[in-house]
């Protein structure tokens, strides 16, 4: 009887451990495919709509622009047949996704670890660090709650203010859960603004009030500890979990490049602001919007500085020329540090039509906001979402150069 009981306990423990164990990606490969004809683009787009077990790490853009697709081992030969039949120009780009995850994960630090930029941090670690800033700089930093999440978390950030009467710059990271370099870069910039003694950085930091939100999809970010490739929110729909929070904002919602299919990675939600994360954050934003003149959103990957708007119809902001000029200046400053090349352009021309994005909403609804960019950080697909931790600091440094340049241009013209 005792033995039976012991057996039952062990079985239940094992079941529980397995159910909560992180998903493994052993021998999952990432292919880099370069479409050379418009037929190939169409074929890849069809596959993207119904990916049948493949995961698109980057979307189908235009001729010559590589697409990155993750292939599970049991579909390897099917996929190779597909490539051959469609005469697609393809290379295995990441041999074993689990290996890359292990390389990144081995260094994840949690709440008790010191905060630095040699490793990625989980949500608790980031939030604990934000609290520590408010304690350390009581006259400059205050913690803020920008909204809430489906699972009951807070969307937490900090306000940095060196004095009264300043315009506001709003910085968001982590809207897509798996893009870990985004929260890491946002916290890097925040730290530099508080600690740097470089005169140019100081002048820029002190020229604005800053609202920093490193991770605006906290449920998703927490979930990436289990499924490293999670992108969306975690609200349950009928057949699948989550909507794409960067398709859910109420400006030209569902006007191209967004899906009404719940299981799609770009599912726009059941209606605009169906996700409590975007709805609550937008309400918070509305309370400060009148003072905001700069809005920056950070994603990965592809090395792009994207200018609104993303919906179909090619609307551009009134100051489109200025946004191109300043964007190019930012890309130039960024490149000067380590040679990293960024492309600057309006969303549809640089990537693809994508409606319902946060920066589009901010710039579209609050027309006085002069500057709105969406950054796609490193890299161009070599590591994709699994950017090695050694690249966090260089990414932070060069992105800070770009942000400083943007503010310098804005402040001087
Ligand atoms: O598709 C997106 O949401 C972004 N690319 S990502 O690979 N990080 O998913 C691009 C966002 C384009 N921006 C707007 N439509 N505002
Ligand atoms: Zn993204």
């Amino acid at each position: 009887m005792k033995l039976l009981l012991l057996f039952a306990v062990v079985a239940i423990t094992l079941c529980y451990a397995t159910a909560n164990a992180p998903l493994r990606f052993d021998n999952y490969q990432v292919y880099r495919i370069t479409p050379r004809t418009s037929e190939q683009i169409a074929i890849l787009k069809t596959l993207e709509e119904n990916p049948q077990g493949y995961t698109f790490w980057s979307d189908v853009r235009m001729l010559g622009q590589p697409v990155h697709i993750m292939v599970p081992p049991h579909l390897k030969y099917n996929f190779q047949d597909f490539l051959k039949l469609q005469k697609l120009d393809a290379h295995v780009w990441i041999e074993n996704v689990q290996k890359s995850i292990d390389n990144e994960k081995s260094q994840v630090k949690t709440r008790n670890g010191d905060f630095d930029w040699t490793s990625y941090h989980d949500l608790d670690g980031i939030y604990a660090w934000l609290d520590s800033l408010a304690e350390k700089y009581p006259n400059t930093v205050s913690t803020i709650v920008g909204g809430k999440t489906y699972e009951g978390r807070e969307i937490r950030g900090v306000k940095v203010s060196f004095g009264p009467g300043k315009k506001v710059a709003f910085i968001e990271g982590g809207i897509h859960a798996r893009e870990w370099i985004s929260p890491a870069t946002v916290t890097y910039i925040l730290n530099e603004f508080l600690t740097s003694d470089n005169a140019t950085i100081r002048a820029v930091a002190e020229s604005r009030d800053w609202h920093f939100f490193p991770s605006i999809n906290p449920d998703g970010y927490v979930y990436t500890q289990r499924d490293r490739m999670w992108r969306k929110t975690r609200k349950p729909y009928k057949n699948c979990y989550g909507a794409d929070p960067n398709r859910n904002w109420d400006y030209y919602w569902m006007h191209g490049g967004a899906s009404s299919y719940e299981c799609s990675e770009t599912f726009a939600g059941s209606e605009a602001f169906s996700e409590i994360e975007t709805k609550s954050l937008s309400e918070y934003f509305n309370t400060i919007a009148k003072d905001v003149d700069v809005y920056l959103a950070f994603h990965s990957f592809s090395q792009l500085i994207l200018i609104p708007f993303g919906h179909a119809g090619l609307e551009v902001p009134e100051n489109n020329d200025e946004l191109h000029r300043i964007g190019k200046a930012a890309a130039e400053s960024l490149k000067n540090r380590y040679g990293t090349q960024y492309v600057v352009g309006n969303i549809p021309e640089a990537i693809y039509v994508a409606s319902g994005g946060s920066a589009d909403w901010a710039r579209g609804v609050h027309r006085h906001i002069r500057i709105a960019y969406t950054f796609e950080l490193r890299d161009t697909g070599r590591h994709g979402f699994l950017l090695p931790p050694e690249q966090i600091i260089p990414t932070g440094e060069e992105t800070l150069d770009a942000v400083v340049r943007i503010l310098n241009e804005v402040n001087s013209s």
Side-chain angles (χ1 to χ4, degrees):
M1 183 61 189
K2 260 190 191 156
L3 203 68
L4 214 68
L5 205 69
L6 183 74
F7 186 72
V9 170
V10 170
I12 290 168
T13 316
L14 270 178
C15 264
Y16 186 78
T18 326
N20 286 292
L23 266 188
R24 294 194 58 88
F25 293 87
D26 296 293
N27 300 316
Y28 280 58
Q29 293 176 315
V30 176
Y31 286 76
R32 180 179 170 100
I33 299 160
T34 311
R36 303 279 179 210
T37 66
S38 38
E39 289 77 39
Q40 291 178 335
I41 296 254
I43 285 154
L44 287 168
K45 281 203 164 150
T46 310
L47 185 65
E48 190 178 16
E49 268 157 42
N50 183 11
Q52 306 169 41
Y54 307 120
T55 306
F56 280 68
W57 275 27
S58 61
D59 298 80
V60 184
R61 297 180 188 182
M62 46 200 87
L63 285 182
Q65 290 284 336
V67 181
H68 299 83
I69 303 179
M70 182 171 76
V71 177
H74 71 280
L75 292 175
K76 177 173 167 174
Y77 296 117
N78 301 44
F79 193 70
Q80 286 176 355
D81 283 350
F82 164 77
L83 293 175
K84 209 155 62 188
L85 286 170
Q86 305 305 338
K87 298 192 175 59
L88 282 158
D89 171 359
H91 303 271
V92 175
W93 209 239
I94 297 180
E95 195 54 66
N96 182 351
V97 169
Q98 186 59 43
K99 258 191 157 170
S100 307
I101 292 177
D102 292 342
N103 176 43
E104 186 192 56
K105 266 262 164 73
S106 59
Q107 301 180 59
V108 170
K109 289 219 190 93
T110 47
R111 187 193 278 276
N112 299 323
D114 290 335
F115 204 86
D116 64 15
W117 289 268
T118 60
S119 61
Y120 293 101
H121 298 272
D122 62 12
L123 189 75
D124 287 348
I126 293 174
Y127 281 4
W129 181 69
L130 296 179
D131 288 338
S132 77
L133 294 179
E135 273 172 38
K136 197 164 169 193
Y137 306 98
N139 299 323
T140 315
V141 179
S142 46
T143 55
I144 46 183
V145 177
K148 43 186 188 271
T149 75
Y150 180 80
E151 291 175 349
R153 297 186 176 85
E154 289 178 336
I155 299 174
R156 299 184 52 198
V158 290
K159 181 181 170 190
V160 178
S161 177
F162 297 93
K166 313 266 173 75
K167 286 188 180 153
V168 172
F170 189 93
I171 311 272
E172 57 144 277
I175 195 170
H176 287 143
R178 63 192 173 190
E179 298 165 9
W180 282 12
I181 190 61
S182 162
T185 303
V186 169
T187 53
Y188 182 90
I189 295 169
L190 164 58
N191 187 57
E192 287 298 309
F193 280 180
L194 293 169
T195 59
S196 173
D197 47 25
N198 172 296
T200 314
I201 297 175
R202 285 258 54 78
V204 161
E206 292 172 21
S207 72
R208 289 282 176 303
D209 280 355
W210 298 87
H211 284 64
F212 279 94
F213 287 99
S215 176
I216 67 167
N217 177 11
D219 292 353
Y221 191 61
V222 168
Y223 195 68
T224 58
Q225 298 292 338
R226 285 180 66 183
D227 177 354
R228 182 62 188 84
M229 290 310 143
W230 194 257
R231 164 181 169 99
K232 302 191 283 179
T233 61
R234 288 297 299 164
K235 178 177 172 183
Y237 283 89
K238 194 156 166 268
N239 295 305
C240 284
Y241 277 76
D244 181 346
N246 211 38
R247 297 291 182 282
N248 192 238
W249 296 70
D250 194 7
Y251 184 71
Y252 286 92
W253 180 78
M254 276 299 281
H255 280 240
S259 174
S260 51
Y261 171 52
E262 290 169 13
C263 299
S264 162
E265 293 282 31
T266 53
F267 173 46
S270 49
E271 58 186 313
F273 288 146
S274 59
E275 306 310 285
I276 190 167
E277 292 82 359
T278 54
K279 183 171 185 356
S280 57
L281 189 59
S282 73
E283 284 163 1
Y284 174 85
F285 188 84
N286 287 338
T287 67
I288 57 164
K290 70 173 192 345
D291 298 317
V292 175
D293 71 339
V294 175
Y295 190 109
L296 303 176
F298 291 92
H299 290 245
S300 73
F301 56 93
S302 288
Q303 295 174 195
L304 303 166
I305 297 177
L306 297 169
I307 299 167
F309 292 102
H311 57 267
L314 300 177
E315 182 195 3
V316 294
E318 299 75 14
N319 63 336
N320 199 32
D321 291 348
E322 179 185 58
L323 284 162
H324 274 81
R325 178 180 63 75
I326 297 179
K328 284 194 182 126
E332 183 192 279
S333 289
L334 190 153
K335 187 177 169 204
N336 282 344
R337 186 157 302 247
Y338 292 117
T340 312
Q341 296 207 37
Y342 269 60
V343 169
V344 182
N346 294 97
I347 293 158
E349 77 193 23
I351 45 168
Y352 39 79
V353 167
S355 57
S358 57
D360 286 7
W361 174 83
R363 180 66 180 73
V365 170
H366 301 283
R367 304 300 289 203
H368 67 274
I369 295 178
R370 185 170 158 198
I371 301 296
Y373 293 118
T374 300
F375 276 70
E376 296 279 356
L377 300 171
R378 286 193 191 187
D379 55 11
T380 54
R382 175 74 271 164
H383 303 284
F385 304 120
L386 305 173
L387 195 70
E390 307 82 72
Q391 291 199 40
I392 300 172
I393 290 174
T395 304
E397 291 172 321
E398 67 191 14
T399 311
L400 174 65
D401 291 337
V403 172
V404 166
R405 182 70 184 267
I406 290 169
L407 269 293
N408 267 334
E409 295 289 332
V410 173
N411 292 342
S412 65
S413 59

